[in-house]
Amino acid sequence: MVKVRVKYFLWLADKAGCSLEEILLDNSTLFGLMEHIKASRPKLSKIIESILQGSSEIIVLVNNSSPRTLNLELKDGDEVVLMPPVSGG
């Protein structure tokens, strides 16, 4: 099993009900993590589904880098960040 930290930013934290959580995973890929979040955080399920389908504008970072694939193997202690696109004016 792998333990990862997930940080939710801005309105994603409101939908998740927290801004930070630690998750234990059997399937230690980024895809597996997204599936876990989708199942455990119903208010995020549509957003996570769009990430899984590759049609989301949500920014996903793993250890401060953009992953090239959802098949990325996560390691114990990795940090995953989910945040909406930032705009300003």
Side-chain angles (χ1 to χ4, degrees), residues 16-89:
C18 64
S19 60
L20 173 67
E21 68 178 325
E22 290 189 344
I23 297 175
L24 282 173
L25 294 172
D26 287 326
N27 179 350
S28 60
T29 63
L30 185 54
F31 183 89
L33 174 63
M34 292 297 127
E35 286 285 327
H36 176 88
I37 294 170
K38 181 180 164 186
S40 64
R41 302 279 179 199
K43 291 182 179 179
L44 289 175
S45 64
K46 287 183 182 179
I47 294 162
I48 298 300
E49 184 60 35
S50 69
I51 293 171
L52 292 171
Q53 294 176 0
S55 61
S56 177
E57 293 186 7
I58 299 299
I59 298 165
V60 179
L61 300 173
V62 178
N63 299 325
N64 297 317
S65 297
S66 293
R68 294 180 184 217
T69 176
L70 290 174
N71 291 325
L72 176 72
E73 281 290 325
L74 298 173
K75 297 177 216 59
D76 207 38
D78 280 352
E79 182 176 85
V80 177
V81 171
L82 299 174
M83 67 178 143
V86 179
S87 62

